[in-house]
Coordinates of all heavy atoms in Angstrom, one line a residue:
M285 N -11.9 92.5 26.0 CA -12.8 93.1 25.1 C -14.2 92.8 25.6 O -15.0 92.1 25.2 CB -12.7 92.4 23.7 CG -11.5 92.9 22.8 SD -11.5 92.1 21.3 CE -12.4 93.3 20.3
N286 N -14.5 93.5 26.6 CA -15.9 93.5 27.2 C -16.8 94.5 26.9 O -18.0 94.5 27.2 CB -15.8 93.4 28.8 CG -15.1 92.1 29.3 OD1 -15.3 91.1 28.6 ND2 -14.5 92.1 30.4
N287 N -16.3 95.6 26.2 CA -17.2 96.6 25.8 C -17.6 96.5 24.3 O -16.8 96.0 23.5 CB -16.7 98.0 26.1 CG -15.4 98.3 25.5 OD1 -14.8 97.4 24.9 ND2 -14.9 99.5 25.7
L288 N -18.8 97.0 23.9 CA -19.2 96.9 22.6 C -18.3 97.8 21.6 O -18.2 97.4 20.5 CB -20.7 97.5 22.5 CG -21.4 97.4 21.2 CD1 -21.5 95.9 20.8 CD2 -22.8 98.0 21.4
Q289 N -17.8 98.8 22.1 CA -17.0 99.7 21.2 C -15.8 99.0 20.6 O -15.4 99.2 19.4 CB -16.5 100.9 21.9 CG -15.8 101.9 21.1 CD -15.4 103.2 21.9 OE1 -15.6 103.2 23.1 NE2 -15.0 104.2 21.2
S290 N -15.2 98.1 21.4 CA -14.0 97.4 20.8 C -14.4 96.5 19.6 O -13.7 96.4 18.7 CB -13.4 96.5 21.9 OG -13.0 97.3 23.0
Y291 N -15.5 95.8 19.8 CA -16.0 95.0 18.7 C -16.4 95.8 17.5 O -16.1 95.3 16.3 CB -17.3 94.1 19.2 CG -17.0 93.1 20.2 CD1 -17.4 93.3 21.5 CD2 -16.3 91.9 19.9 CE1 -17.1 92.4 22.5 CE2 -16.0 91.0 20.9 CZ -16.5 91.2 22.1 OH -16.2 90.2 23.1
I292 N -17.0 96.9 17.6 CA -17.4 97.8 16.5 C -16.2 98.3 15.8 O -16.1 98.4 14.5 CB -18.3 98.9 17.0 CG1 -19.6 98.3 17.5 CG2 -18.6 99.8 15.9 CD1 -20.6 99.2 18.0
V293 N -15.1 98.6 16.6 CA -13.9 99.2 15.9 C -13.3 98.1 15.1 O -12.8 98.3 14.0 CB -12.9 99.8 17.0 CG1 -11.6 100.0 16.4 CG2 -13.5 101.0 17.6
L294 N -13.2 96.9 15.7 CA -12.6 95.8 14.9 C -13.3 95.5 13.6 O -12.8 95.3 12.6 CB -12.6 94.5 15.8 CG -12.1 93.2 15.2 CD1 -10.6 93.3 14.8 CD2 -12.4 92.0 16.0
A295 N -14.7 95.5 13.8 CA -15.5 95.2 12.6 C -15.4 96.3 11.5 O -15.3 96.0 10.4 CB -17.0 95.0 13.0
A296 N -15.3 97.5 12.0 CA -15.1 98.6 11.1 C -13.7 98.6 10.3 O -13.7 98.8 9.1 CB -15.2 100.0 11.9
C297 N -12.7 98.1 11.1 CA -11.4 98.0 10.4 C -11.5 96.8 9.4 O -10.9 97.0 8.3 CB -10.3 97.6 11.5 SG -9.9 99.0 12.5
L298 N -12.1 95.7 9.8 CA -12.2 94.6 8.8 C -13.0 95.0 7.6 O -12.7 94.7 6.4 CB -12.9 93.4 9.5 CG -12.0 92.4 10.1 CD1 -12.9 91.3 10.7 CD2 -11.1 91.7 9.1
F299 N -14.1 95.7 7.8 CA -15.0 96.2 6.7 C -14.2 97.1 5.7 O -14.3 97.0 4.6 CB -16.3 96.8 7.2 CG -17.3 97.0 6.1 CD1 -18.2 96.0 5.9 CD2 -17.4 98.1 5.4 CE1 -19.2 96.2 4.9 CE2 -18.4 98.3 4.5 CZ -19.2 97.3 4.2
S300 N -13.4 98.0 6.4 CA -12.7 98.9 5.6 C -11.6 98.3 4.8 O -11.4 98.6 3.6 CB -12.0 100.0 6.5 OG -13.0 100.7 7.3
I301 N -10.9 97.3 5.4 CA -10.0 96.6 4.6 C -10.6 95.8 3.4 O -10.1 95.7 2.3 CB -9.1 95.6 5.5 CG1 -8.3 96.4 6.5 CG2 -8.3 94.6 4.7 CD1 -7.7 95.6 7.6
G302 N -11.8 95.1 3.7 CA -12.5 94.4 2.6 C -12.9 95.4 1.5 O -12.8 95.0 0.4
F303 N -13.4 96.5 2.0 CA -13.9 97.5 0.9 C -12.8 97.9 0.1 O -12.8 98.1 -1.2 CB -14.6 98.6 1.6 CG -15.2 99.6 0.6 CD1 -16.3 99.3 -0.2 CD2 -14.6 100.9 0.4 CE1 -16.8 100.2 -1.0 CE2 -15.1 101.8 -0.4 CZ -16.3 101.4 -1.2
A304 N -11.6 98.3 0.7 CA -10.4 98.7 -0.1 C -9.9 97.6 -1.0 O -9.5 97.9 -2.1 CB -9.3 99.1 0.9
V305 N -10.0 96.4 -0.6 CA -9.6 95.2 -1.5 C -10.5 95.2 -2.7 O -10.1 95.1 -3.8 CB -9.5 93.9 -0.7 CG1 -9.4 92.7 -1.7 CG2 -8.4 93.9 0.3
V306 N -11.8 95.3 -2.5 CA -12.8 95.2 -3.6 C -12.6 96.3 -4.5 O -12.6 96.1 -5.8 CB -14.2 95.2 -3.0 CG1 -15.2 95.4 -4.1 CG2 -14.5 93.9 -2.3
V307 N -12.3 97.5 -4.1 CA -12.2 98.7 -4.9 C -10.9 98.8 -5.6 O -10.8 99.2 -6.8 CB -12.4 100.0 -4.1 CG1 -12.1 101.2 -4.9 CG2 -13.8 100.1 -3.5
T308 N -9.8 98.3 -5.0 CA -8.5 98.5 -5.7 C -7.9 97.3 -6.4 O -7.0 97.5 -7.3 CB -7.4 98.9 -4.5 OG1 -7.3 97.8 -3.6 CG2 -7.8 100.1 -3.9
K309 N -8.3 96.1 -6.1 CA -7.7 94.9 -6.8 C -8.3 94.7 -8.2 O -9.3 95.0 -8.5 CB -7.9 93.7 -5.9 CG -7.3 93.6 -4.6 CD -5.8 93.8 -4.9 CE -5.1 94.0 -3.4 NZ -3.7 94.2 -3.6
K310 N -7.4 94.2 -9.0 CA -7.7 93.9 -10.4 C -7.9 92.4 -10.7 O -7.5 91.9 -11.8 CB -6.6 94.5 -11.3 CG -6.5 96.0 -11.2 CD -7.5 96.7 -11.8 CE -7.3 98.2 -11.8 NZ -8.4 98.9 -12.3
N311 N -8.3 91.6 -9.7 CA -8.4 90.2 -9.8 C -9.7 89.9 -9.2 O -10.1 90.3 -8.1 CB -7.2 89.5 -9.1 CG -7.2 88.1 -9.3 OD1 -8.2 87.4 -9.6 ND2 -6.0 87.6 -9.2
L312 N -10.5 89.1 -9.9 CA -11.9 88.8 -9.4 C -11.9 87.9 -8.2 O -12.7 88.1 -7.3 CB -12.6 88.0 -10.5 CG -13.1 88.9 -11.7 CD1 -13.7 88.1 -12.8 CD2 -14.0 90.0 -11.4
V313 N -10.9 87.1 -8.0 CA -10.8 86.2 -6.9 C -10.4 87.1 -5.7 O -11.0 86.9 -4.6 CB -9.7 85.1 -7.0 CG1 -9.5 84.3 -5.8 CG2 -10.1 84.2 -8.2
L314 N -9.5 88.0 -5.8 CA -9.2 88.9 -4.7 C -10.4 89.8 -4.3 O -10.6 90.1 -3.1 CB -8.0 89.8 -5.0 CG -6.6 88.9 -5.1 CD1 -5.6 89.9 -5.5 CD2 -6.3 88.3 -3.8
M315 N -11.2 90.2 -5.3 CA -12.3 91.0 -5.1 C -13.4 90.2 -4.3 O -14.0 90.7 -3.3 CB -13.0 91.5 -6.3 CG -12.0 92.5 -7.0 SD -12.7 92.9 -8.7 CE -14.0 93.9 -8.4
L316 N -13.5 88.9 -4.6 CA -14.3 88.0 -3.8 C -13.9 87.9 -2.4 O -14.7 87.8 -1.4 CB -14.4 86.7 -4.5 CG -15.4 85.7 -4.0 CD1 -16.8 86.2 -4.1 CD2 -15.2 84.3 -4.7
M317 N -12.6 87.8 -2.2 CA -12.0 87.7 -0.8 C -12.4 89.0 -0.1 O -12.6 88.9 1.2 CB -10.6 87.5 -0.9 CG -10.2 86.0 -1.3 SD -8.4 85.8 -1.6 CE -7.9 86.0 0.1
G318 N -12.3 90.1 -0.7 CA -12.7 91.4 0.0 C -14.1 91.4 0.4 O -14.4 91.9 1.5
A319 N -15.0 90.9 -0.5 CA -16.4 90.8 -0.1 C -16.6 89.9 1.1 O -17.4 90.2 1.9 CB -17.2 90.3 -1.3
E320 N -15.9 88.9 1.1 CA -15.9 87.9 2.3 C -15.5 88.6 3.5 O -16.0 88.4 4.6 CB -15.1 86.7 2.0 CG -15.8 85.8 1.0 CD -17.1 85.3 1.4 OE1 -17.4 84.9 2.5 OE2 -18.0 85.3 0.5
L321 N -14.4 89.4 3.5 CA -14.0 90.1 4.7 C -15.1 91.1 5.2 O -15.3 91.2 6.3 CB -12.8 91.0 4.3 CG -11.4 90.3 4.6 CD1 -10.3 91.3 4.2 CD2 -11.3 90.0 6.0
M322 N -15.8 91.7 4.2 CA -16.9 92.6 4.6 C -18.0 91.8 5.3 O -18.6 92.3 6.3 CB -17.4 93.4 3.4 CG -16.4 94.5 3.0 SD -17.2 95.6 1.7 CE -17.2 94.5 0.3
L323 N -18.3 90.6 4.8 CA -19.4 89.8 5.4 C -18.9 89.4 6.8 O -19.7 89.3 7.8 CB -19.7 88.6 4.5 CG -20.5 88.9 3.3 CD1 -20.6 87.6 2.5 CD2 -21.9 89.4 3.7
N324 N -17.6 89.1 7.0 CA -17.2 88.7 8.3 C -17.3 89.9 9.3 O -17.6 89.6 10.5 CB -15.7 88.2 8.2 CG -15.6 86.8 7.7 OD1 -16.6 86.0 7.9 ND2 -14.6 86.5 7.0
A325 N -17.1 91.0 8.8 CA -17.2 92.3 9.7 C -18.7 92.4 10.1 O -19.0 92.7 11.3 CB -16.8 93.5 8.9
V326 N -19.6 92.1 9.3 CA -21.0 92.1 9.6 C -21.3 91.0 10.6 O -22.1 91.4 11.6 CB -21.9 92.0 8.3 CG1 -23.4 91.8 8.7 CG2 -21.7 93.2 7.4
N327 N -20.7 89.9 10.5 CA -20.9 88.8 11.5 C -20.4 89.2 12.8 O -21.0 88.9 13.8 CB -20.2 87.5 11.0 CG -21.0 86.8 10.1 OD1 -22.2 86.8 10.0 ND2 -20.3 85.9 9.3
I328 N -19.2 89.9 12.9 CA -18.7 90.3 14.2 C -19.7 91.3 14.8 O -20.0 91.3 16.0 CB -17.4 91.0 14.0 CG1 -16.4 89.9 13.7 CG2 -16.9 91.7 15.2 CD1 -14.9 90.4 13.3
N329 N -20.3 92.2 14.0 CA -21.3 93.2 14.6 C -22.5 92.4 15.1 O -22.9 92.7 16.3 CB -21.7 94.1 13.5 CG -20.7 95.3 13.4 OD1 -20.0 95.6 14.4 ND2 -20.7 96.0 12.3
F330 N -23.0 91.4 14.4 CA -24.2 90.8 14.8 C -23.9 90.0 16.2 O -24.7 90.1 17.1 CB -24.7 89.8 13.8 CG -25.6 90.4 12.8 CD1 -25.4 90.2 11.4 CD2 -26.7 91.0 13.2 CE1 -26.2 90.7 10.5 CE2 -27.6 91.6 12.3 CZ -27.4 91.4 10.9
V331 N -22.7 89.3 16.2 CA -22.4 88.6 17.4 C -22.2 89.5 18.6 O -22.6 89.3 19.7 CB -21.3 87.7 17.2 CG1 -20.8 87.0 18.4 CG2 -21.6 86.6 16.2
A332 N -21.5 90.6 18.3 CA -21.2 91.6 19.4 C -22.5 92.2 19.9 O -22.6 92.3 21.1 CB -20.3 92.7 18.9
F333 N -23.4 92.6 19.1 CA -24.6 93.1 19.6 C -25.5 92.1 20.3 O -26.2 92.4 21.2 CB -25.4 93.8 18.4 CG -24.9 95.1 18.0 CD1 -24.5 95.3 16.7 CD2 -24.9 96.2 18.8 CE1 -24.0 96.5 16.3 CE2 -24.5 97.4 18.4 CZ -24.0 97.6 17.2
S334 N -25.4 90.9 19.8 CA -26.2 89.8 20.5 C -25.6 89.6 21.9 O -26.3 89.1 22.8 CB -26.2 88.5 19.7 OG -24.9 87.9 19.8
K335 N -24.3 89.8 22.1 CA -23.7 89.6 23.5 C -24.3 90.6 24.4 O -24.4 90.3 25.6 CB -22.2 89.8 23.3 CG -21.5 89.6 24.7 CD -20.0 89.7 24.5 CE -19.4 89.6 25.9 NZ -17.9 89.8 25.8
F336 N -24.7 91.8 24.0 CA -25.2 92.8 24.8 C -26.7 92.9 24.8 O -27.3 93.9 25.3 CB -24.6 94.2 24.5 CG -23.0 94.2 24.8 CD1 -22.1 94.0 23.8 CD2 -22.6 94.2 26.1 CE1 -20.8 94.0 24.1 CE2 -21.3 94.2 26.4 CZ -20.3 94.1 25.4
D337 N -27.4 92.0 24.1 CA -28.8 92.1 23.9 C -29.5 91.2 25.0 O -28.9 90.3 25.5 CB -29.1 91.6 22.5 CG -30.6 91.9 22.1 OD1 -31.3 92.7 22.8 OD2 -31.1 91.4 21.0
S338 N -30.8 91.5 25.2 CA -31.5 90.7 26.2 C -31.8 89.3 25.6 O -32.0 88.3 26.3 CB -32.8 91.3 26.6 OG -33.6 91.6 25.4
V339 N -31.9 89.2 24.2 CA -32.1 87.9 23.6 C -31.0 87.7 22.7 O -30.9 88.0 21.5 CB -33.5 87.9 22.7 CG1 -33.7 86.5 22.2 CG2 -34.6 88.4 23.6
P340 N -29.9 87.0 23.3 CA -28.7 86.9 22.5 C -28.7 85.9 21.3 O -27.9 85.9 20.4 CB -27.6 86.2 23.5 CG -28.5 85.7 24.6 CD -29.8 86.4 24.5
E341 N -29.7 85.1 21.2 CA -29.8 84.2 20.1 C -30.0 84.8 18.8 O -29.8 84.3 17.7 CB -30.8 83.1 20.4 CG -30.5 82.1 21.5 CD -30.9 82.7 22.9 OE1 -31.6 83.7 22.9 OE2 -30.3 82.2 23.8
Q342 N -30.7 86.0 18.8 CA -31.1 86.6 17.5 C -29.9 87.0 16.6 O -29.8 86.7 15.5 CB -31.9 87.9 17.8 CG -33.2 87.7 18.4 CD -34.0 89.0 18.7 OE1 -33.3 90.0 18.7 NE2 -35.2 88.9 19.0
G343 N -28.9 87.6 17.2 CA -27.7 88.0 16.5 C -26.9 86.8 15.9 O -26.4 86.8 14.9
Q344 N -26.9 85.8 16.7 CA -26.2 84.6 16.4 C -26.8 83.8 15.3 O -26.2 83.3 14.4 CB -26.0 83.7 17.7 CG -25.1 84.3 18.7 CD -25.1 83.6 20.0 OE1 -25.8 82.6 20.2 NE2 -24.5 84.2 21.0
V345 N -28.2 83.8 15.3 CA -28.9 83.2 14.2 C -28.7 84.0 12.9 O -28.5 83.4 11.9 CB -30.4 83.1 14.5 CG1 -31.2 82.7 13.3 CG2 -30.6 82.1 15.7
F346 N -28.7 85.3 13.0 CA -28.4 86.1 11.7 C -27.0 85.8 11.3 O -26.7 85.8 10.1 CB -28.6 87.6 12.1 CG -30.0 88.1 11.9 CD1 -30.7 88.5 13.0 CD2 -30.7 88.0 10.7 CE1 -32.0 89.0 12.9 CE2 -31.9 88.5 10.6 CZ -32.6 89.0 11.6
S347 N -26.1 85.6 12.2 CA -24.7 85.3 11.8 C -24.6 84.0 11.1 O -23.8 83.9 10.1 CB -23.9 85.4 13.0 OG -22.5 85.1 12.8
I348 N -25.4 83.1 11.6 CA -25.3 81.7 10.9 C -25.9 81.8 9.5 O -25.4 81.2 8.5 CB -26.0 80.6 11.7 CG1 -25.2 80.4 13.0 CG2 -26.3 79.4 10.9 CD1 -25.9 79.5 14.0
F349 N -27.0 82.6 9.3 CA -27.6 82.8 8.0 C -26.5 83.5 7.1 O -26.4 83.2 5.9 CB -28.8 83.6 8.0 CG -30.0 82.9 8.5 CD1 -30.9 83.3 9.4 CD2 -30.3 81.6 7.9 CE1 -32.0 82.6 9.9 CE2 -31.4 80.9 8.3 CZ -32.3 81.4 9.2
I350 N -25.8 84.5 7.6 CA -24.8 85.2 6.8 C -23.7 84.2 6.3 O -23.2 84.2 5.2 CB -24.2 86.4 7.5 CG1 -25.3 87.5 7.6 CG2 -23.0 86.9 6.8 CD1 -24.9 88.7 8.4
M351 N -23.3 83.3 7.2 CA -22.3 82.2 6.9 C -22.8 81.3 5.8 O -22.1 81.0 4.8 CB -21.9 81.5 8.1 CG -21.0 82.3 9.0 SD -20.4 81.1 10.3 CE -21.0 82.1 11.7
L352 N -24.1 81.0 5.9 CA -24.7 80.1 4.8 C -24.8 80.8 3.5 O -24.4 80.3 2.4 CB -26.0 79.7 5.3 CG -26.2 78.7 6.4 CD1 -27.6 78.4 6.8 CD2 -25.4 77.4 6.0
I353 N -25.2 82.1 3.5 CA -25.2 83.0 2.3 C -23.8 83.1 1.7 O -23.6 83.0 0.5 CB -25.9 84.3 2.5 CG1 -27.3 84.0 2.8 CG2 -25.6 85.3 1.3 CD1 -28.0 85.2 3.4
A354 N -22.8 83.3 2.6 CA -21.4 83.5 2.1 C -20.9 82.2 1.5 O -20.2 82.2 0.5 CB -20.5 83.9 3.3
A355 N -21.2 81.0 2.0 CA -20.8 79.8 1.4 C -21.4 79.6 0.1 O -20.7 79.1 -0.9 CB -21.2 78.6 2.3
A356 N -22.7 79.9 -0.1 CA -23.4 79.8 -1.3 C -22.8 80.8 -2.4 O -22.6 80.5 -3.6 CB -24.9 80.0 -1.2
E357 N -22.5 82.0 -1.8 CA -21.9 83.1 -2.7 C -20.5 82.5 -3.2 O -20.3 82.7 -4.4 CB -21.7 84.3 -2.0 CG -20.9 85.4 -2.7 CD -20.2 86.3 -1.8 OE1 -20.4 86.3 -0.5 OE2 -19.5 87.2 -2.4
I358 N -19.7 82.0 -2.4 CA -18.4 81.5 -2.8 C -18.5 80.4 -3.9 O -17.8 80.4 -4.9 CB -17.7 81.0 -1.6 CG1 -17.2 82.1 -0.8 CG2 -16.5 80.1 -2.0 CD1 -16.1 82.9 -1.4
A359 N -19.4 79.5 -3.7 CA -19.6 78.4 -4.6 C -20.0 78.9 -6.0 O -19.5 78.6 -7.0 CB -20.6 77.4 -4.1
V360 N -21.1 79.8 -6.0 CA -21.5 80.3 -7.3 C -20.5 81.2 -7.9 O -20.2 81.2 -9.1 CB -22.9 81.0 -7.1 CG1 -23.3 81.8 -8.3 CG2 -23.9 80.0 -6.6
A361 N -19.9 82.1 -7.1 CA -18.9 83.1 -7.6 C -17.7 82.5 -8.2 O -17.2 82.8 -9.2 CB -18.6 84.2 -6.6
L362 N -17.2 81.5 -7.5 CA -16.0 80.8 -8.0 C -16.3 80.0 -9.3 O -15.4 79.9 -10.2 CB -15.5 79.8 -6.9 CG -14.6 80.5 -5.9 CD1 -14.1 79.5 -4.8 CD2 -13.4 81.2 -6.5
A363 N -17.5 79.5 -9.4 CA -17.9 78.8 -10.6 C -17.9 79.7 -11.8 O -17.4 79.5 -12.9 CB -19.3 78.0 -10.5
I364 N -18.5 80.9 -11.5 CA -18.5 81.9 -12.6 C -17.2 82.4 -13.0 O -16.8 82.6 -14.1 CB -19.5 83.1 -12.1 CG1 -20.9 82.6 -12.1 CG2 -19.3 84.3 -13.0 CD1 -21.8 83.6 -11.4
I365 N -16.3 82.6 -11.9 CA -15.0 83.2 -12.2 C -14.2 82.1 -13.0 O -13.4 82.4 -13.9 CB -14.3 83.5 -10.9 CG1 -14.8 84.8 -10.3 CG2 -12.8 83.7 -11.0 CD1 -14.4 85.1 -8.9
L366 N -14.3 80.8 -12.6 CA -13.6 79.7 -13.4 C -14.1 79.7 -14.9 O -13.3 79.6 -15.8 CB -13.8 78.4 -12.7 CG -13.0 78.2 -11.4 CD1 -13.4 76.9 -10.7 CD2 -11.5 78.3 -11.7
K367 N -15.4 79.9 -15.1 CA -15.9 79.9 -16.5 C -15.4 81.1 -17.2 O -15.0 81.1 -18.4 CB -17.4 79.9 -16.5 CG -17.9 78.5 -16.3 CD -17.6 77.7 -17.4 CE -18.2 76.3 -17.4 NZ -17.7 75.4 -18.4
I368 N -15.3 82.3 -16.6 CA -14.7 83.5 -17.1 C -13.3 83.3 -17.5 O -12.8 83.6 -18.7 CB -14.9 84.7 -16.3 CG1 -16.4 85.1 -16.2 CG2 -14.1 85.9 -16.7 CD1 -16.7 86.2 -15.3
R369 N -12.5 82.6 -16.6 CA -11.1 82.4 -16.9 C -11.0 81.4 -18.0 O -10.0 81.6 -18.9 CB -10.4 81.8 -15.6 CG -9.0 81.5 -15.9 CD -8.2 81.6 -14.6 NE -6.8 81.1 -14.6 CZ -5.9 81.1 -15.6 NH1 -6.2 81.6 -16.7 NH2 -4.7 80.7 -15.4
E370 N -11.8 80.4 -18.1 CA -11.7 79.4 -19.2 C -11.9 80.1 -20.6 O -11.4 79.8 -21.5 CB -12.8 78.4 -18.9 CG -12.8 77.3 -20.0 CD -13.9 76.3 -19.6 OE1 -14.0 75.9 -18.4 OE2 -14.7 75.9 -20.6
H371 N -13.0 81.0 -20.6 CA -13.3 81.7 -21.9 C -12.4 82.8 -22.3 O -12.0 82.9 -23.4 CB -14.8 82.2 -21.7 CG -15.4 82.7 -23.0 ND1 -15.2 83.9 -23.4 CD2 -15.9 82.0 -24.0 CE1 -15.8 84.1 -24.6 NE2 -16.2 82.9 -24.9
Y372 N -12.0 83.7 -21.3 CA -11.2 84.8 -21.6 C -9.8 84.6 -21.3 O -9.0 85.6 -21.6 CB -11.7 86.1 -20.8 CG -13.1 86.4 -21.3 CD1 -14.2 86.1 -20.6 CD2 -13.3 87.2 -22.5 CE1 -15.5 86.5 -21.0 CE2 -14.6 87.6 -22.9 CZ -15.7 87.2 -22.2 OH -16.9 87.6 -22.6
Q373 N -9.3 83.6 -20.6 CA -7.9 83.4 -20.2 C -7.4 84.5 -19.3 O -6.2 84.7 -19.2 CB -7.0 83.3 -21.5 CG -7.4 82.2 -22.5 CD -7.4 80.8 -21.8 OE1 -6.6 80.5 -21.0 NE2 -8.5 80.0 -22.2
S374 N -8.3 85.1 -18.5 CA -7.9 86.2 -17.6 C -9.0 86.3 -16.6 O -10.2 86.1 -16.8 CB -7.7 87.5 -18.3 OG -7.4 88.6 -17.4
V375 N -8.6 86.8 -15.3 CA -9.6 87.1 -14.4 C -9.5 88.6 -14.0 O -10.1 89.1 -13.0 CB -9.5 86.3 -13.1 CG1 -9.9 84.8 -13.3 CG2 -8.1 86.3 -12.5
N376 N -8.8 89.4 -14.8 CA -8.7 90.8 -14.6 C -10.0 91.4 -15.2 O -10.3 91.4 -16.4 CB -7.5 91.3 -15.4 CG -7.3 92.9 -15.2 OD1 -8.1 93.5 -14.6 ND2 -6.1 93.3 -15.6
P377 N -10.8 92.1 -14.4 CA -12.1 92.7 -14.8 C -11.9 93.8 -15.9 O -12.8 94.0 -16.7 CB -12.7 93.3 -13.6 CG -11.8 93.1 -12.5 CD -10.6 92.3 -12.9
D378 N -10.7 94.4 -16.0 CA -10.5 95.4 -17.0 C -10.3 94.8 -18.4 O -10.6 95.4 -19.4 CB -9.3 96.3 -16.7 CG -9.5 97.2 -15.5 OD1 -10.7 97.4 -15.2 OD2 -8.5 97.5 -14.8
E379 N -10.0 93.5 -18.5 CA -9.8 92.9 -19.8 C -11.1 92.2 -20.3 O -11.0 91.7 -21.4 CB -8.6 91.9 -19.6 CG -7.3 92.4 -19.3 CD -6.3 91.4 -19.1 OE1 -6.6 90.2 -19.3 OE2 -5.1 91.7 -18.8
L380 N -12.1 92.2 -19.5 CA -13.3 91.5 -20.0 C -14.2 92.6 -20.7 O -15.3 92.9 -20.2 CB -14.0 90.9 -18.7 CG -13.1 90.0 -17.9 CD1 -13.9 89.6 -16.7 CD2 -12.6 88.9 -18.7
T381 N -13.8 93.1 -21.8 CA -14.5 94.2 -22.4 C -15.8 93.7 -23.1 O -16.7 94.5 -23.2 CB -13.7 94.8 -23.5 OG1 -13.2 93.9 -24.4 CG2 -12.4 95.5 -22.7
S382 N -15.9 92.4 -23.6 CA -17.1 92.0 -24.3 C -18.3 91.8 -23.3 O -19.4 91.7 -23.7 CB -16.8 90.7 -25.0 OG -16.5 89.7 -24.1
L383 N -18.0 91.8 -22.0 CA -19.1 91.7 -21.0 C -19.9 93.1 -20.9 O -21.0 93.1 -20.4 CB -18.6 91.3 -19.6 CG -18.2 89.9 -19.6 CD1 -17.6 89.7 -18.1 CD2 -19.3 88.9 -19.8
K384 N -19.3 94.2 -21.4 CA -19.9 95.5 -21.3 C -21.1 95.7 -22.3 O -21.9 96.5 -22.1 CB -18.9 96.5 -21.5 CG -17.8 96.6 -20.4 CD -16.9 97.7 -20.6 CE -15.8 97.7 -19.5 NZ -14.8 98.7 -19.8
N385 N -21.1 94.8 -23.3 CA -22.1 95.0 -24.4 C -23.4 94.3 -24.0 O -23.6 93.4 -23.4 CB -21.6 94.5 -25.7 CG -20.4 95.4 -26.1 OD1 -20.4 96.6 -25.8 ND2 -19.6 94.8 -26.9

């Protein structure tokens, strides 16, 4: 995998799978996992572009920031999902009708 196109195709496949999971799943935890897949696809793009850039540290620094944001997102989102499950006894977004008001 020495050319940029291979990395972009891999990232596009990961992003597509993550987007499909977010759109089709009926479980908040699985939707969160799909969002993480999309963030990992973005990380692959940043690192791939940094490999072919004159200043390779830029993409890698952005990738580290995305990993930090993803870790914070997981911590906050899982806490919210656990509170929702405790209150509604379900993590199915279709059953959470009182949140719509």
Side-chain angles (χ1 to χ4, degrees):
M285 284 178 97
N286 287 334
N287 58 355
L288 184 60
Q289 185 178 7
S290 301
Y291 293 108
I292 293 175
V293 168
L294 174 66
C297 289
L298 268 180
F299 193 87
S300 300
I301 292 169
F303 184 74
V305 167
V306 168
V307 171
T308 60
K309 293 300 177 186
K310 300 287 185 184
N311 188 333
L312 291 175
V313 176
L314 292 176
M315 292 170 74
L316 185 62
M317 289 173 64
E320 290 299 316
L321 269 178
M322 290 190 288
L323 283 174
N324 285 330
V326 172
N327 276 341
I328 289 173
N329 275 336
F330 274 127
V331 172
F333 282 120
S334 74
K335 181 178 179 182
F336 297 99
D337 194 11
S338 62
V339 184
E341 292 82 17
Q342 291 175 347
Q344 294 168 3
V345 169
F346 275 117
S347 183
I348 289 172
F349 281 132
I350 289 175
M351 284 187 238
L352 292 173
I353 291 169
E357 172 206 356
I358 287 293
V360 171
L362 280 178
I364 292 171
I365 289 171
L366 287 174
K367 281 297 184 184
I368 287 173
R369 177 152 171 36
E370 179 183 317
H371 188 268
Y372 293 101
Q373 304 300 322
S374 175
V375 290
N376 186 349
D378 293 335
E379 295 176 8
L380 307 176
T381 56
S382 65
L383 290 178
K384 293 179 182 176
N385 295 332

